[in-house]
Amino acid sequence: MEAFNNEEFAIGCALSIKTTLGDEFEAQVIAYDKPSNILVLHILAAIYLLIYFLFEGVSASGPKRDIRLLKANYIKEFSFLGQNQDPLDTSKCYLDLSSLQAREDSALRQAEIDAERFGIGVTAEAQNIFDALSKTLPVRWDKTVIVVMNEVRVSSPYLPESVAGGTPAANERVRKVLELERKRLQSRNTGQ
């Protein structure tokens, strides 16, 4: 198709578009990048909205926008339907601030949990032992000491002999798991 001029793809204009791939839809131009010949379109077709509501449902935040990027070369034909208001008008955008706040709070909690899994001032071997123990037992750091099941403490150099505290049964369990994990880490390191 011949090149289009900028005025035909002015921001806010509504178009009925048929593509070379057989798609037909109505859309509002959000942006047109002349160097790349790409249109950013907000799909307006009622059939799309019907399908969207049937399959997606209506959320508390209102309908989502269907945005499509389309290389203008793929437009077989189009007709101008009219000029709409600015599609990027921020006064008409809806932000669910409580949902955004909940997502931020959740991400911060997860980041704090993840940060607690890293020992400060410990060797890579100590961190590997911590990570290995955490797969089978509840662990946390207390400075450079690994605390297992909130009662057994494993100090540097993180050998079975370094295990202290807790009930005799818990102490013995941690020693055995630590011994097995050290062997596994050692065999992994010699295999590399």
Side-chain angles (χ1 to χ4, degrees):
M1 180 163 198
E2 75 278 353
F4 303 105
N5 67 43
N6 256 349
E7 291 171 13
E8 292 175 300
F9 294 136
I11 292 175
C13 71
L15 304 172
S16 176
I17 298 173
K18 292 182 183 178
T19 69
T20 58
L21 303 172
D23 292 334
E24 294 184 30
F25 54 90
E26 293 177 359
Q28 182 179 18
V29 176
I30 294 176
Y32 173 60
D33 182 56
K34 192 170 185 172
S36 65
N37 204 26
I38 291 179
L39 282 162
V40 180
L41 302 167
H42 172 218
I43 305 303
L44 301 173
I47 188 69
Y48 170 77
L49 291 175
L50 176 63
I51 291 169
Y52 175 81
F53 287 120
L54 286 175
F55 290 103
E56 300 293 327
V58 179
S59 69
S61 61
K64 307 283 189 260
R65 287 190 177 200
D66 180 26
I67 304 295
R68 183 181 290 185
L69 299 178
L70 178 66
K71 192 108 169 143
N73 307 23
Y74 289 101
I75 297 176
K76 182 177 178 180
E77 60 184 78
F78 72 94
S79 58
F80 180 75
L81 301 175
Q83 184 69 28
N84 293 333
Q85 296 174 349
D86 182 358
L88 301 177
D89 183 0
T90 55
S91 68
K92 294 186 179 161
C93 293
Y94 175 79
L95 293 177
D96 184 357
L97 294 179
S98 61
S99 173
L100 291 173
Q101 185 66 48
R103 285 178 60 191
E104 179 186 19
D105 293 344
S106 175
L108 287 173
R109 277 192 306 276
Q110 188 60 48
E112 289 170 356
I113 290 168
D114 292 345
E116 289 175 2
R117 301 189 50 74
F118 293 102
I120 298 172
V122 299
T123 64
E125 180 186 46
Q127 185 64 51
N128 287 338
I129 290 169
F130 178 92
D131 293 341
L133 286 171
S134 72
K135 292 177 185 174
T136 56
L137 298 167
V139 295
R140 64 178 171 82
W141 284 105
D142 180 12
K143 297 186 171 110
T144 60
V145 175
I146 299 172
V147 180
V148 186
M149 299 182 296
N150 282 329
E151 59 179 294
V152 180
R153 299 173 68 78
V154 183
S155 304
S156 180
Y158 310 101
L159 299 169
E161 301 81 46
S162 308
V163 175
T167 64
N171 190 300
E172 186 59 32
R173 180 176 178 202
V174 171
R175 283 180 196 262
K176 286 188 182 209
V177 172
L178 179 61
E179 192 174 309
L180 290 170
E181 291 301 340
R182 286 190 70 85
K183 284 180 184 176
R184 187 176 302 149
L185 289 170
Q186 188 177 20
S187 68
R188 193 180 314 154
N189 289 341
T190 58
Q192 290 179 358

